[in-house]
Amino acid sequence: MAMALRVVVPPHPLIAHWLGVLRDRHTPAALYATATAELGRWLTYEALRDWLPHRRLLLDTPLAPCEADLVDPSIPLLALPQLMAGLGLWQGAQTVIPAAQVRHLFDQGGVPVGLDDPIDPRCGVLVFTAELADGESLIRLLDQLAARGVSGDRLRVVTALASGPGLKAVGERHGALTLYTAGIDPDLNEPGQIVPGIGPVAERLFGGTVVTAP
């Protein structure tokens, strides 16, 4: 049976606010970076809500013993920000999961680079991609992860904005995926940009033209 892509747009006013800041063409680079980091923080918080492994322990408080639910440190987390624009989301996310392992990924000639080392079979994996336009770059990465046994409930994707066509393309190939985003725009223009979108993310985030790896 084919599985439907699960897309979560958290109904939180702060998430909506920071997406609006990204949309405004007059937002300066420094504020754009802040908005991206805030979305990374809030979307990661939501992505971990029913997913982060935890266990109940008996603790000694200053007054009496007490049971508490604590994050299980024996289950590793791996963060995969797609360079360079995915770093903006990860900057906020790392305040939520500071102990996560990190591997920085970039696309070289249509091939995701940075996944050479094995991934622990118990590891939960979070992918940070700035936006989901046509979905091709993310699909290539998800294909590589699937080849390494990472798919389904082990995997979450965090992105600031997604397009309808991009979600359709990803869902047709990786239907078991769960993706968290601040919003969904219906269209792509002829060059493949999300409309109305949030502009050229890497250039706005870093305040200039960004040169990518060949």
Side-chain angles (χ1 to χ4, degrees):
M1 180 184 297
M3 299 186 69
L5 176 69
R6 180 174 178 240
V7 181
V8 181
V9 182
H12 198 292
L14 286 174
I15 291 176
H17 168 81
W18 290 116
L19 176 60
V21 172
L22 292 187
R23 290 193 186 279
D24 188 347
R25 65 188 298 267
H26 301 291
T27 298
L31 183 55
Y32 194 91
T34 296
T36 305
E38 286 295 317
L39 283 180
R41 181 163 70 99
W42 287 102
L43 290 172
T44 300
Y45 174 88
E46 293 291 339
L48 298 176
R49 182 186 294 274
D50 61 351
W51 187 66
L52 189 64
H54 60 275
R55 58 186 179 181
R56 176 150 292 212
L57 298 175
L58 182 64
L59 305 176
D60 288 325
T61 76
L63 297 179
C66 174
E67 287 190 339
D69 290 319
L70 299 178
V71 173
D72 188 347
S74 69
I75 308 298
L77 286 175
L78 176 63
L80 300 177
Q82 288 189 288
L83 297 181
M84 289 183 58
L87 287 175
L89 292 171
W90 170 239
Q91 183 179 5
Q94 65 185 342
T95 65
V96 181
I97 46 173
Q101 305 166 28
V102 186
R103 296 189 200 176
H104 297 100
L105 307 178
F106 63 92
D107 198 89
Q108 187 174 52
V111 178
V113 177
L115 288 176
D116 297 335
D117 295 333
I119 297 175
D120 189 315
R122 302 169 303 147
C123 189
V125 178
L126 276 163
V127 172
F128 296 91
T129 186
E131 60 178 356
L132 177 62
D134 60 16
E136 291 182 3
S137 175
L138 179 60
I139 289 171
R140 290 193 292 268
L141 172 56
L142 295 174
D143 286 347
Q144 282 212 8
L145 288 171
R148 288 162 171 76
V150 179
S151 61
D153 198 49
R154 286 184 63 193
L155 181 62
R156 295 284 189 273
V157 173
V158 172
T159 184
L161 183 66
S163 77
L167 290 173
K168 182 175 184 296
V170 171
E172 287 174 349
R173 190 169 181 89
H174 294 279
L177 182 68
T178 302
L179 182 145
Y180 288 78
T181 183
I184 301 171
D185 283 354
D187 298 316
L188 297 173
N189 62 14
E190 190 170 342
Q193 300 165 315
I194 301 177
V195 179
I198 53 178
V201 177
E203 293 180 21
R204 296 189 70 188
L205 188 62
F206 299 105
T209 301
V210 175
V211 179
T212 58

